[in-house]
Amino acid sequence: MATPFCPTTPVRSILQPQQNPPKTLLFLRGSCSGGPDFVKCRLSAYSWSSAASYVRLGNGAAGFCGKPIVLRKLLQRRRGVVRAATLEEIEAQKSLIEKDSKGRMEKTIDTVRSNFNSIRTGRSNPAMLDKIEVEYYGSPVSLKSIAQISTPDASSLLVQPYDKSSLKAIEKAIVGSDLGMTPNNDGEVIRMTLPLLTSERRKEFLKIVAKLAEEGKVALRNIRRDALKACEKLEKEKKLSEDIAKDLSSDLQKLTDEYMKKIDAIYKQKEKELLKV
């Protein structure tokens, strides 16, 4: 004889609705009636419609008969739902901010170094002419883009234009610069001899170099500030946790300190060159 079915006994079933959504494990309760061989149980659940749905239990086996049980839509709209970012997304956001900041800081170092090279010292250097722009066919262009610049010796520069018709324009641009050099145009090339630096001129250059170094440091601080703002925005959007945001802030400070030291190093090197007689 079959064991009587208890109304409080949970019936576990796994339903697979259409379009293959994730399987759902349900525990249903119902009012039951039965006979000696099987029990019919009318089911009800908070989220189910089961007006004509029954479960047949016989010899320990269960099966559904009647109309299918349909799950009601519990939520028509989801308002104010915030999804927390995954660990992979958090690491990607953190890495992106660090990479962008490092790239911008590297460009800042390149700019500072380029500015230093354009300031003349006791020895000739082609980079001294990097900042000179020439009016070429009505447009300002960099001198090094239209001419080859070389250093025949430690105290002279040689400018050989690719287009000889630009010689006069190049000569005019050099005269109008603050290099303090007089160009010698022989119709083929332009030669320049570096005059000796006076103590007064050296002091002026030292001030310029110090100012350029400070501007570079300000640029580094601004990059760090932008990165922190981006970090705060992601934290508010729940894309970064508070702990990760603190770690990122610490890493950005270390990165900034590292590039500050790089500026100090190239500044001291330039200062040494300017003071060398």
Side-chain angles (χ1 to χ4, degrees), residues 114-159:
S114 176
N115 290 335
F116 282 178
N117 289 337
S118 65
I119 297 175
R120 57 163 296 203
T121 57
R123 295 180 61 85
S124 59
N125 185 346
M128 295 169 60
L129 304 180
D130 283 353
K131 299 297 181 181
I132 293 181
E133 290 190 342
V134 180
E135 195 73 19
Y136 187 62
Y137 289 104
S139 300
V141 296
S142 173
L143 172 58
K144 62 183 179 181
S145 68
I146 61 172
Q148 181 180 355
I149 305 170
S150 59
T151 54
D153 53 60
S155 60
S156 63
L157 288 169
L158 181 68
V159 180

Side-chain angles (χ1 to χ4, degrees), residues 5 19 36 64 75 82 90 125-126 132 156 168 208 212 214 245 263 267:
F5 180 77
Q19 300 180 355
F64 285 96
L75 296 176
V82 178
I90 290 175
N125 185 346
I132 293 181
S156 63
K168 289 186 177 181
I208 294 174
L212 291 173
E214 184 57 33
I263 288 184
Y267 166 70

